[in-house]
Amino acid sequence: MSKLKLCLRHISEVFLYEYYCLGDDEYELTDVDTLTPHKERAKELMLAGNYSKSQKEWLDAHFENPVDMESILGIILCCKQLGDTEGEYSYTTESYNYCCTRAELAAYYRNLGWYYLERYNPELSAACYLYSKYFEESQQADAELEFLEKAIGKKVSAKDLSQIQNILKENNIPTEANPITLALLYKAAEEAQEAGDKAQALDCYRMVYDLTEDEEVGRRISCLS
């Protein structure tokens, strides 16, 4: 039986793939970049407004690298444009495990906000959009919140952080980065450091620090920089 060929270009991707995706199948890494051509074609098709073909290219990219967040976010955007609400939700919930930066986590909450707006749940949608802004300011989130306020005729942004978190928790939505993902990134950083790959070790420590602001991780970054 032939091995699955994947385009994982970073130690963090290897750790995430082996934990979240790898079943009993064996895999090997490709020598060439099979991911980027699909992503470039997907972006060209998206700019041309051909979301169906663009989504196919993003899906091909996702097959080459199942943990690449840019590909997953591309699929999600196409789902929105094609009116595939449940597809959007499926890939959004999957993306949570691969959120390695505050920007990616913010995108996760914005995508949930879109889904719950489509499902006629304005309060939960507003909570998701508001929470996304704690991780990254976004014109999209601001526009959606303005739309929500006009649609339901009341202020939705007058909630403090604990109120927003409570709404999310009541709906079984996580309020922080996946602790397993953080542990995997930290382990990847240690392994890269032991192997003498300072650049990849720094990448992984910086992702952990971006999400946690952990002092010990900050010290490790300072030592390696």
Side-chain angles (χ1 to χ4, degrees), residues 54-83:
S54 175
Q55 187 178 56
K56 185 183 181 307
E57 291 293 342
W58 284 123
L59 285 164
D60 286 343
H62 184 50
F63 182 78
E64 297 290 343
N65 181 337
V67 302
D68 178 66
M69 268 297 279
E70 186 181 15
S71 302
I72 297 172
L73 291 174
I75 295 167
I76 289 168
L77 182 55
C78 290
C79 284
K80 291 177 181 178
Q81 295 293 334
L82 296 167

Side-chain angles (χ1 to χ4, degrees), residues 11 16 23 54 64 88 110 139 159 174 177 182-183 187 191:
I11 191 169
L16 292 172
S54 175
E64 297 290 343
E88 192 270 359
R110 287 197 300 271
Q139 289 182 335
K159 289 184 176 70
L182 292 172
K187 189 84 176 79
E191 192 161 299

Side-chain angles (χ1 to χ4, degrees), residues 179-197:
I180 294 172
T181 298
L182 292 172
L184 291 168
L185 292 173
Y186 193 86
K187 189 84 176 79
E190 288 183 321
E191 192 161 299
Q193 190 174 351
E194 285 168 16
D197 192 336

